[in-house]
């Protein structure tokens, strides 16, 4: 085969295709994970428990009074999950946990296979369409089909995580070190825009379902199916634009089996000891990103429990964050070009610290104060993550991108339990959501210190890469 065209024009064409995969898959994250699936799936599980334990009652009435019925009948009100009795309210949390654990097992295998076979484009397409089809299948989750919903979500989430590992690993191949921050930030920004746009359309459908002659459940099912359809349609563009890179002959035959991939993960982790500064950066990212994910994950509960704000305020704040984060990611990408990437990320961590301190003082039912806090989060949210991704891409060895990005993706998904545990302990001890959110300061301060201690130019040189002018 001839040499790959690596001219600026060819790179830009690939970059534009690459951005659109973020636009495509963000619909799954915003519509399914952030807004619709949890609140929809729990009543479906309750319907199944009602049919089993309270067969004489009308289903709607039983679901509406389910918590009171369970208090009156403590031995009842469970659903069967592979032989275990699970409370309907705990079902969504359970499948989220299973989904994260499966990603921790599978993503390193995906990363190693992507690097060693060189078939990144085919793998990206395969995972994207498995995920999109499973997401479209959520349309069929109704009545008491809670297990169908659980299985489809776990499959879709695993495919989503796998596709993101392959997607991220294209970043060092389609951009020069100097372009990396801009390209990563644009991809992240366009993702917020795509996810936000579909969510806005779905919320209009959901809020107007009566005037459109739809039942509430049907509006949710259409919204969930639309996320899969959106993901499938827009994935076509990156698949047409992105190109596989040739893999050295000894690399392509190195991995023929999943067992080989597991050995490869062992080698990657062992090899990380040869790159202590890359490891230090990964730990720093793990710590501060844990704070970021936990603040985002608990913001709706904080709004309802601590601030007594209704669902409309929460949903409109989620929407605002999506669109403001588009500009925030681009702004931080621009600032990184002026002040350097590391300084920009450090400054964003100072802003995160200020946000969680201010959360202590937001008044009850003060929607405007909550919106202002959400606005501040949106400005730093995308930029912190996009610039961290581009920094990581500079400190990993060539030809091993997907493998290393699988570690980043695992630390992204798997580490969030430390932050969640901190919030749980704080709530257990103080029963205050304000104190629980303020406890996130530990993550931002520690992450700041660890990142400040990372000598990035030295880390980039140690990985065999060229140091960009600003870092």
């Amino acid at each position: 085969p001839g040499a790959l065209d690596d001219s600026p024009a060819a790179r830009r064409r690939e970059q534009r295709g690459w951005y659109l995969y973020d636009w495509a898959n963000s619909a799954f994250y915003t519509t399914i994970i952030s807004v619709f699936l949890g609140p929809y799936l729990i009543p479906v599980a309750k319907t199944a428990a009602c049919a089993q334990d309270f067969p004489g009652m009308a289903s709607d009435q039983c679901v509406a009074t389910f918590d009171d019925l369970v208090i009156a009948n403590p031995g009842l009100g469970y659903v069967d999950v592979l032989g275990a009795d699970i409370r309907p309210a705990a079902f969504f949390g359970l499948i989220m946990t299973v989904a994260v654990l499966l990603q921790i097992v599978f993503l390193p295998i995906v990363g190693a296979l992507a690097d060693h076979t060189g078939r990144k484009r085919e793998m990206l397409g395969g995972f994207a369409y498995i995920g999109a089809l499973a997401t479209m299948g959520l349309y069929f989750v109704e009545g008491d089909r809670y297990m169908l919903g659980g299985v489809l979500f776990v499959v879709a989430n695993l495919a989503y995580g796998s596709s993101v590992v392959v997607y991220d690993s294209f970043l060092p191949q389609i951009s020069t070190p100097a372009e990396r921050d801009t390209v990563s930030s644009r991809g992240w920004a366009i993702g917020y825009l795509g996810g936000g746009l579909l969510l806005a359309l779905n919320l209009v459908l959901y809020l107007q379902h009566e005037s459109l002659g739809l039942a509430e459940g049907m509006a949710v099912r259409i919204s969930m199916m639309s996320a899969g359809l959106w993901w499938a349609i827009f994935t076509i563009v990156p698949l047409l634009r992105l190109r596989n890179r040739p893999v050295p002959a000894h690399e392509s035959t190195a991995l023929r089996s999943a067992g080989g991939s597991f050995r490869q993960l062992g080698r990657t982790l062992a090899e990380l000891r040869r790159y202590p500064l890359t490891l230090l950066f990964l730990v720093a990212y793990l710590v501060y990103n844990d704070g970021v994910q936990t603040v985002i994950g608990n913001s709706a509960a904080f709004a309802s429990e601590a601030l007594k704000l209704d669902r409309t305020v929460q949903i409109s704040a989620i929407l605002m964050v999506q669109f403001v984060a588009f500009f925030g990611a681009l702004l931080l990408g621009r600032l990184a070009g002026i002040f350097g990437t590391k300084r920009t990320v450090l400054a964003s961590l100072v802003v995160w610290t200020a946000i969680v301190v201010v959360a202590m003082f937001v008044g009850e039912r003060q929607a405007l104060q909550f919106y202002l806090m959400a606005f501040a989060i949106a400005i730093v949210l995308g930029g912190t993550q996009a610039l961290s991704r581009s920094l990581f891409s500079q400190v990993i060895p060539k030809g091993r991108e997907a493998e290393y990005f699988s570690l980043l993706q695992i630390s992204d998904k798997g580490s969030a339990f430390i932050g969640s545990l901190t919030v749980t302990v704080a709530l257990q001890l103080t029963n205050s959501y304000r104190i629980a959110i303020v406890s996130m300061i530990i993550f931002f301060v520690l992450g700041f210190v660890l990142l400040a201690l990372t000598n990035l130019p030295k880390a980039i040189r140690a990985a065999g890469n060229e140091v960009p002018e600003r870092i």
Side-chain angles (χ1 to χ4, degrees):
L4 207 63
D5 178 9
D6 204 23
S7 65
R11 274 206 312 279
R12 274 197 301 277
R13 178 183 156 80
E14 273 193 284
Q15 287 163 9
R16 284 196 288 267
W18 186 80
Y19 299 148
L20 266 178
Y21 188 65
D22 226 326
W23 169 283
N25 74 42
S26 293
F28 173 74
Y29 199 85
T30 50
T31 290
I32 304 296
I33 296 181
S34 301
V35 177
F36 285 109
L37 187 64
Y40 178 76
L41 201 52
I42 292 168
V44 171
K46 285 181 178 175
T47 303
C50 283
Q52 177 186 291
D53 294 337
F54 308 103
M57 282 185 80
S59 180
D60 291 354
Q61 187 193 351
C62 177
V63 170
T65 58
F66 189 81
D67 295 340
D68 295 331
L69 289 167
V70 169
I71 291 167
N73 305 274
L76 301 178
Y78 291 93
V79 290
D80 177 60
V81 180
L82 303 179
D85 283 341
I86 303 293
R87 289 278 184 211
F91 180 63
F92 185 62
L94 173 70
I95 63 169
M96 283 295 275
T97 308
V98 170
V100 168
L101 289 174
L102 281 175
Q103 286 200 350
I104 290 171
V105 173
F106 277 98
L107 295 192
I109 300 175
V110 169
L113 284 171
D115 284 332
H116 289 273
T117 61
R119 297 189 177 278
K120 289 186 180 179
R121 193 177 65 164
E122 292 83 348
M123 288 178 71
L124 179 68
F127 288 125
Y129 283 105
I130 290 168
L133 286 169
T135 305
M136 284 188 251
L138 291 170
Y139 175 80
F140 300 102
V141 176
E142 57 174 332
D144 60 359
R145 297 179 186 166
Y146 65 97
M147 277 303 285
L148 176 66
V151 169
L152 287 172
F153 172 73
V154 168
V155 170
N157 198 57
L158 185 55
Y160 167 79
S162 301
S163 74
V164 169
V165 166
V166 181
Y167 165 75
D168 282 348
S169 76
F170 271 105
L171 176 62
Q173 298 181 328
I174 62 168
S175 57
T176 64
E179 293 169 340
R180 210 77 44 92
D181 291 338
T182 306
V183 171
S184 185
S185 299
R186 278 184 188 161
W188 219 285
I190 285 167
Y192 280 117
L193 204 56
L197 188 60
L198 183 69
L199 182 60
L201 294 171
N202 283 333
L203 288 173
V204 169
L205 176 74
Y206 176 71
L207 296 171
Q208 301 297 321
H209 66 87
E210 282 178 5
S211 56
L212 295 168
L214 293 172
E216 184 181 351
M218 176 57 93
V220 173
R221 286 162 54 208
I222 291 171
S223 296
M224 292 195 297
M225 183 177 71
S226 75
L229 209 53
W230 180 281
W231 188 358
I233 291 167
F234 288 108
T235 295
I236 294 168
V237 181
L239 293 183
L240 291 174
R241 291 282 180 92
L242 291 168
R243 299 167 300 165
N244 289 332
R245 267 61 183 172
V247 175
H250 68 280
E251 289 273 353
S252 60
T253 54
L255 274 194
R256 288 288 177 230
S257 67
S261 301
F262 269 121
R263 288 196 294 278
Q264 187 58 44
L265 171 64
R267 284 199 290 273
T268 306
L269 292 171
E271 193 186 61
L272 254 178
R273 293 205 296 270
R274 283 178 41 209
Y275 302 114
L277 291 169
T278 300
L279 181 60
L280 181 60
F281 174 79
L282 193 60
V283 171
Y285 172 78
L286 194 149
V287 171
Y288 66 73
N289 187 55
D290 207 349
V292 170
Q293 299 297 339
T294 308
V295 170
I296 298 305
N298 286 279
S299 54
F302 174 76
S304 57
E305 298 298 317
L307 306 184
K308 310 285 186 273
L309 293 169
D310 65 22
R311 189 96 179 108
T312 316
V313 173
Q314 294 167 37
I315 288 175
S316 54
I318 287 172
L319 262 184
M320 180 193 76
V321 165
Q322 290 295 319
F323 291 110
V324 175
F326 167 74
F327 296 104
L330 295 178
L331 171 69
L332 263 68
R334 187 67 57 85
L335 291 175
I338 300 167
F339 300 107
T341 317
K342 181 177 172 180
R343 281 194 193 134
T344 307
V345 175
L346 288 171
S348 79
L349 296 179
V350 173
V351 176
W352 277 108
T353 308
I355 289 166
V356 293
V357 171
V358 167
M360 268 299 273
F361 306 102
V362 176
E364 271 191 22
R365 297 192 171 80
Q366 296 295 318
L368 178 61
Q369 292 178 13
F370 179 68
Y371 283 131
L372 288 171
M373 200 171 90
F375 184 85
I377 284 175
I379 292 293
V380 287
L381 175 63
T384 306
Q385 294 174 307
L387 294 176
S388 299
R389 173 170 70 180
S390 70
L391 278 179
F392 187 65
S393 75
Q394 309 269 17
V395 298
I396 57 180
K398 274 193 177 60
R400 311 286 292 283
E401 295 87 0
E403 230 174 280
Y404 277 85
F405 270 112
S406 74
L407 295 181
L408 192 73
Q409 193 67 11
I410 287 170
S411 65
D412 194 4
K413 297 285 179 287
S415 70
F417 78 90
I418 309 169
S420 302
L421 185 65
T422 308
V423 165
T424 307
V425 170
L427 283 170
Q428 186 70 17
L429 295 175
T430 66
N431 199 31
S432 162
Y433 243 105
R434 292 176 190 271
I435 292 170
I437 290 290
V438 168
S439 70
M440 291 299 105
I441 284 181
I442 306 160
F443 293 87
F444 296 127
V445 172
L446 185 56
F448 180 97
V449 171
L450 292 172
L451 180 57
L453 290 173
T454 307
N455 182 336
L456 283 171
K458 193 174 170 186
I460 294 167
R461 281 193 294 271
N465 297 324
E466 144 200 0
V467 181
E469 236 177 275
R470 287 201 178 280
I471 189 74

